[in-house]
Structures are given as structure tokens and as C-alpha cells.
Amino acid sequence: MSQSGPRQFVESAFGRAAALLPPSATLTRTGLGAMLVAAGVHKLLDPAAWAIYVTDWLAPLLVVSPVVFMLLNGWLEIGFGLALLADRYTALSAAVAAVSLTATIGYLAVVWATKGQFGDVLARDVGLAALAFAVFSDAVRGVESGGE
């Protein structure tokens, strides 16, 4: 078999697989929406598990208790996630997610640098923020070209 044989086979197989997938904008939007809904539902079911991310110095700055904060956040995440899944208000929902995740990254970076905590969540949220910005970018471009 020639050198191009295996390469052509792999490229052809990947091409066929890619043809079966929805467009990347749809994948990113539904992935972000599903993540927001899942996180929101979990916050409603177990807000105390999420409240551990509120450090001693942040808690007094919140208007409500960390548990109530997570409950409120859970409802918001579900709402914005459902909007993304329904492909409604996509730019707004993605922008809110991007800003929220960016603020969370800033907060987690401070906690990681000062206390050595939550570095794993920080690393994950960097990727999620990039996903939210990608969805926002696609949505805004869709608005400009007559979509959404």
C-alpha cells in the first residue's frame, strides 16, 4: 500500500464522520446549553456542594448566603441554558455565560494563587469560557448576516 493510502483512508473516514455531524455552531451552542442546564439542575438539587466554592473572604460580599446564591444561580443557568438549546436569544445567553465564566475564572485564579484551591475547576472553566465566547461569536455573526 502506498504512503498516501492510509492517509487517504483516514481522511476519507474522518470526512464521512464529519458529514454525519451537525454544524460546529450547532454543536457548540447545544453543548454550552446542555452544560448550563446540567449545572443549574445540580445547583438546585445540591446547592451546598456548590457553596464550597465560596471562600471565607467572598461570603460576606454576597447579598445572600452562599447556598441561596447557588440556588438563584441555578435557576439562571437553567433559563439561559434552555434558551441556548432552543436556539433563542443565543447571543444574549452566550454573552451572559461568557461574562459569568470569565468572572468565575478571575475569582478562581485569585483563590488558586492565594490558597492553592480549585485549580482543577479553574482549568475546566477556561475551556467553558472559550466555548461560550465561540457560541457568542457565531450568534453575533448570524445576526449580522440576517440570522437569529
Side-chain angles (χ1 to χ4, degrees), residues 1-9:
M1 187 178 261
S2 70
Q3 191 71 316
S4 62
R7 179 179 179 172
Q8 286 176 337
F9 173 78

Side-chain angles (χ1 to χ4, degrees), residues 28 32 98 101-102 105 124-136:
T28 56
L32 179 63
L101 285 161
T102 300
I105 288 167
R124 181 209 57 206
D125 283 357
V126 168
L128 291 174
L131 177 65
F133 278 108
V135 173
F136 173 73

Side-chain angles (χ1 to χ4, degrees), residues 4 24 34 53 71-72 81 87-88 115 118 134 146:
S4 62
S24 60
Y53 295 109
L71 289 168
L72 294 171
D87 201 9
R88 299 286 182 248
K115 296 187 175 255
F118 312 135

Side-chain angles (χ1 to χ4, degrees), residues 13-26:
F14 284 176
R16 286 190 305 275
L20 298 172
L21 294 171
S24 60
T26 301

Side-chain angles (χ1 to χ4, degrees), residues 23-90:
S24 60
T26 301
L27 289 171
T28 56
R29 178 182 51 76
T30 56
L32 179 63
M35 183 279 301
L36 288 171
V37 169
V41 167
H42 192 258
K43 282 182 176 109
L44 295 181
L45 295 175
D46 192 2
W50 290 83
I52 65 164
Y53 295 109
V54 177
T55 59
D56 294 342
W57 60 266
L58 179 63
L61 301 176
L62 298 177
V63 180
V64 296
S65 73
V67 168
V68 171
F69 177 78
M70 292 304 166
L71 289 168
L72 294 171
N73 198 341
W75 283 113
L76 291 171
E77 286 179 338
I78 290 170
F80 287 114
L82 289 174
L84 288 168
L85 290 172
D87 201 9
R88 299 286 182 248
Y89 308 105
T90 302

